[in-house]
Amino acid sequence: MLFLDLEAYAPPDDRTASLSSLVVNPARPGHVLLGGCFFSKRFEDPIPDAPEFQGLWLWNFGSEAALLSAIKARFEEEWRRQREENVRILGKPAVDLVVCGAGIAKFDLPALYCRALFNEIASPHELFEVFFKARPIDLANEASFLFPEEPVLYPKTTREMAGRLGLRERKGSSKGVWESYESRDYGAIEQRTEHELRLVLDIYKRLQGRIVRAPRP
């Protein structure tokens, strides 16, 4: 099971050309993937108090293509680990890689596919196999039950989920990432993303704790 949080850069001239609140569009040539943080665990393993993250960042590679190749290799390794785990969910073998994050169905997974396709690191069908055939747990789509006052099923922000679960969210706007990238303050981006992935793990852990286990007969 792979947890991840990615960051990307939107050039100044493109920051008003969006239909969505999500400004970055990885299908645009200049919207570069900066990298992200990754953490993996077996299904039944608890989340550790001090998880060790792997950071894969553009400034540590020679190019965006090299960064994406490293991320693709990480996914492929996680696919292998998933199959070797031999776990069963509701009696069925869980052979597909499970990926988890906040907003990953809207941004992270499409961004990996689009940027990898743009950089031609592999064929479209191979990239689809690696990134889109994984089973995503997008926490933004899992937390509606925490908001009984709102009957409409609608994705929740990290801040909304954290607030309802008694957690602190410190991410802020993506503008801070872009400013840090432009000023070459790469450490600030890495630290921010580590905090965000740690929050994802905390949200996942608390949501999992809300599952009511049926009594054994």
Side-chain angles (χ1 to χ4, degrees):
M1 183 175 185
L2 180 64
F3 295 80
L4 69 151
D5 187 73
L6 302 179
E7 298 290 352
Y9 175 76
D13 292 343
D14 290 345
R15 293 176 189 173
T16 58
S18 177
L19 295 175
S20 167
S21 57
L22 176 64
V23 175
V24 172
N25 184 340
R28 290 180 177 270
H31 291 223
V32 179
L33 186 72
L34 301 181
C37 287
F38 303 83
F39 170 79
S40 61
K41 76 176 193 71
R42 296 172 64 89
F43 275 127
E44 297 181 357
D45 288 345
I47 293 175
D49 293 333
E52 294 185 5
F53 298 144
Q54 179 189 26
L56 296 172
W57 296 103
L58 178 62
W59 38 91
N60 295 327
F61 291 86
S63 64
E64 187 186 23
L67 166 66
L68 287 159
S69 294
I71 294 175
K72 177 174 175 286
R74 176 67 192 260
F75 267 71
E76 290 168 335
E77 174 64 16
E78 295 300 333
W79 272 99
R80 183 189 64 78
R81 290 179 181 177
Q82 181 70 59
R83 292 177 183 273
E84 291 179 353
E85 192 172 339
N86 293 322
V87 70
R88 301 181 75 86
I89 305 294
L90 294 178
K92 300 178 294 184
V95 296
D96 293 341
L97 171 62
V98 173
V99 293
C100 183
I104 60 171
K106 181 177 182 179
F107 171 69
D108 301 67
L109 295 175
L112 288 172
Y113 179 82
C114 287
R115 296 312 298 174
L117 195 63
F118 179 81
N119 283 276
E120 300 180 333
I121 70 166
S123 65
H125 72 265
E126 182 179 349
L127 295 173
F128 192 98
E129 289 281 338
V130 172
F131 295 129
F132 280 148
K133 286 197 175 181
R135 291 182 180 266
I137 299 176
D138 193 328
L139 297 178
N141 299 331
E142 302 290 337
S144 286
F145 75 94
L146 296 175
F147 300 83
E149 71 277 15
E150 176 51 74
V152 177
L153 291 177
Y154 190 82
K156 303 300 184 289
T157 66
T158 304
R159 177 168 295 179
E160 289 167 342
M161 291 186 287
R164 189 53 58 99
L165 292 168
L167 299 168
R168 183 182 178 189
E169 195 268 352
R170 296 181 292 177
K171 182 177 181 179
S173 169
S174 295
K175 184 179 179 181
V177 171
W178 306 334
E179 291 174 347
S180 294
Y181 180 65
E182 290 166 350
S183 64
R184 298 181 181 271
D185 188 0
Y186 303 141
I189 300 174
E190 294 181 19
Q191 185 179 50
R192 165 199 162 103
T193 311
E194 287 182 7
H195 284 314
E196 184 67 9
L197 187 55
R198 191 178 303 276
L199 180 59
V200 163
L201 294 177
D202 288 340
I203 291 173
Y204 175 87
K205 184 176 181 179
R206 295 204 180 187
L207 289 179
Q208 189 179 36
R210 298 291 184 98
I211 297 174
V212 178
R213 297 182 182 273
R216 293 184 177 181

